[in-house]
Amino acid sequence: MANSVVEQYEKGQLNLDGTLGHLTTKEAGQLQILWRKLLEAFASDASELKDAPAAPADTAQSTAKRSMRAQASPSPAPSGKSSNSGSWFGFGASTKTEDESYRKTVGQVAPAGSSAPEFVAQGRARSIRDVFWAATLCDHPDVLVLRFLRARKWKVDDALKMLLACLRWRLDEEIDWVVWTGESALNYALMLRGIGAMHKTDRLGQPILYIPVRQNDPSAQPQEQMVDYTVYLMEVARIMLHPPAEKVCLLLDTTDMTMSNMDWTFFKTFLHYLEHYYPECLGLVLIYNASWVFNSLWKLICPLLDPVVASKVHFAQSTAELQKFIAPENLSIEYGGSNSYKYQYVLPRAGENAKMADVTARNTAMAA
């Protein structure tokens, strides 16, 4: 059976079926029904929604509200001990001793006055309306709702259940805290390593997210900070998506990868989030330069993938194969392209977030 994802690149044309502006009469009707049901629920207390889908037992679990965890004094990093909790079944675990950078955040090293003002958690009950509009961000509301309809094969009740569960998760996990604080609360070493960097677009106009697996060290930071970083990347990626390109191209670079770079807990957490909370956001997964290590692990990964996600995975062993999906001018020199971009993290500047402290202007804008 032909791979419909690859066919889009061969034709140079996105499949826009089921997206805003490209709905059948029946699909438009399903969208209207879902909106009606959602609007009827808008005034309800979001905290009374059913819990979000239970994550698998070996995925990362939140230990506290993000805003509370950020305010608490961090416990000292373990000294003289190595960690293997994030590695694949303990094999290939890193023996690196955790040092002073283990918990250090961007806000702790950035210039004074560069971070966002302190996040103020909502003390009152939040309605579904509040949480929905906070989740919409830069999305067109129809684009957001349509993601859940497509993910549930246009079954309205199933889509509504999935959407409401996502809103409950965003409320419980304080995703608006991640959006508000931005990089200031993220692990500084993670930002320096550039495990996830977005630059340019593929041949279908989808933003490219580069992930050099060799830069990942599960023992170099607390697990909850890795999860925060992952959510941050997903939220930033959403900002980069503009119709007709509503999905991301993920370039997974496995060059020089070893067993110690793989993080089983993180990987399963990422898949859980992608399936339940960020549906229809992944356009293509390019696995570049797959080593024998990755090929060995692939047999373990495959059964975990949703069939729809699995259909989007493509292996590229050479520059020529990469350029079938990414034009040379958009592909960095490191991968055989002509683009000179090289990731380098730049700390925020003093005063760059000063406008976020203008509560009066924000309230005026929100009331308009």
Side-chain angles (χ1 to χ4, degrees):
M1 182 174 66
N3 188 313
S4 60
V5 175
V6 175
E7 285 180 352
Q8 292 180 70
Y9 288 88
E10 292 173 345
K11 296 177 180 178
Q13 185 176 359
L14 275 170
N15 180 1
L16 300 177
D17 293 348
T19 62
L20 187 60
H22 303 273
L23 303 177
T24 65
T25 301
K26 182 178 180 180
E27 290 168 348
Q30 299 297 83
L31 177 60
Q32 290 176 350
I33 295 171
L34 178 52
W35 265 116
R36 186 181 71 242
K37 292 190 174 189
L38 180 60
L39 291 171
E40 289 171 351
F42 257 19
S44 302
D45 184 346
S47 66
E48 295 180 359
L49 289 170
K50 291 183 179 179
D51 290 339
D58 50 353
T59 56
Q61 306 295 322
S62 294
T63 56
K65 285 282 189 180
R66 283 187 162 88
S67 57
M68 295 174 63
R69 172 156 42 89
Q71 294 170 12
S73 299
S75 57
S79 58
K81 297 180 180 180
S82 61
S83 170
N84 65 0
S85 61
S87 61
W88 286 76
F89 311 113
F91 295 109
S94 172
T95 57
K96 178 182 176 181
T97 300
E98 295 157 345
D99 55 28
E100 62 179 7
S101 67
Y102 182 68
R103 301 178 190 275
K104 187 173 291 182
T105 64
V106 170
Q108 292 173 322
V109 298
S114 63
S115 298
E118 183 178 344
F119 175 80
V120 179
Q122 296 283 351
R124 60 179 175 81
R126 299 184 67 187
S127 67
I128 292 176
R129 178 192 296 107
D130 294 334
V131 183
F132 175 82
W133 290 117
T136 302
L137 295 176
C138 297
D139 266 345
H140 187 296
D142 280 345
V143 170
L144 177 61
V145 173
L146 282 167
R147 291 187 188 281
F148 291 88
L149 267 174
R150 293 197 302 272
R152 289 297 176 258
K153 312 300 182 186
W154 300 94
K155 297 178 181 178
V156 173
D157 289 339
D158 290 349
L160 179 63
K161 181 180 178 181
M162 183 185 188
L163 173 55
L164 293 178
C166 175
L167 296 182
R168 174 62 189 263
W169 171 78
R170 294 183 71 92
L171 178 67
D172 290 346
E173 295 294 320
E174 289 191 325
I175 304 303
D176 48 356
W177 175 86
V178 176
V179 174
W180 176 266
T181 57
E183 63 202 85
S184 63
L186 298 180
N187 185 281
Y188 180 51
L190 272 174
M191 299 300 289
L192 287 176
R193 294 203 299 276
I195 296 175
M198 299 195 74
H199 184 68
K200 294 294 186 178
T201 59
D202 65 13
R203 290 188 181 274
L204 296 180
Q206 299 175 141
I208 305 168
L209 176 60
Y210 291 88
I211 299 184
V213 181
R214 65 183 176 278
Q215 297 290 356
N216 184 44
D217 182 353
S219 70
Q221 63 284 312
Q223 190 175 84
E224 66 265 20
Q225 287 189 340
M226 189 66 190
V227 174
D228 289 347
Y229 179 74
T230 303
V231 173
Y232 169 80
L233 280 179
M234 289 178 157
E235 292 296 312
V236 169
R238 287 183 59 202
I239 297 173
M240 304 293 180
L241 300 177
H242 303 285
E246 298 182 5
K247 299 178 182 180
V248 170
C249 169
L250 182 64
L251 200 164
L252 201 66
D253 180 7
T254 67
T255 303
D256 298 329
M257 174 190 130
T258 65
M259 291 288 286
S260 65
N261 298 129
M262 291 305 297
D263 186 342
W264 174 256
T265 300
F266 163 73
F267 183 75
K268 293 201 75 174
T269 302
F270 173 75
L271 287 181
H272 180 73
Y273 286 1
L274 192 66
E275 179 180 353
H276 294 284
Y277 310 130
Y278 297 91
E280 294 289 305
C281 286
L282 186 64
L284 175 71
V285 180
L286 284 172
I287 298 176
Y288 176 65
N289 204 15
S291 62
W292 68 268
V293 174
F294 186 86
N295 283 326
S296 299
L297 294 172
W298 182 244
K299 294 178 181 179
L300 299 174
I301 295 173
C302 260
L304 301 175
L305 298 180
D306 178 270
V308 175
V309 173
S311 70
K312 299 176 181 179
V313 176
H314 186 84
F315 285 79
Q317 290 298 116
S318 66
T319 296
E321 289 181 296
L322 275 181
Q323 291 186 4
K324 292 178 182 178
F325 303 93
I326 305 172
E329 62 270 19
N330 285 354
L331 188 64
S332 89
I333 293 174
E334 179 181 359
Y335 299 102
S338 58
N339 193 284
S340 60
Y341 169 78
K342 188 173 183 180
Y343 177 84
Q344 181 179 8
Y345 178 64
V346 178
L347 283 169
R349 301 184 301 274
E352 71 173 51
N353 292 308
K355 289 185 177 181
M356 294 178 69
D358 191 341
V359 178
T360 301
R362 181 169 67 252
N363 290 340
T364 300
M366 292 178 67

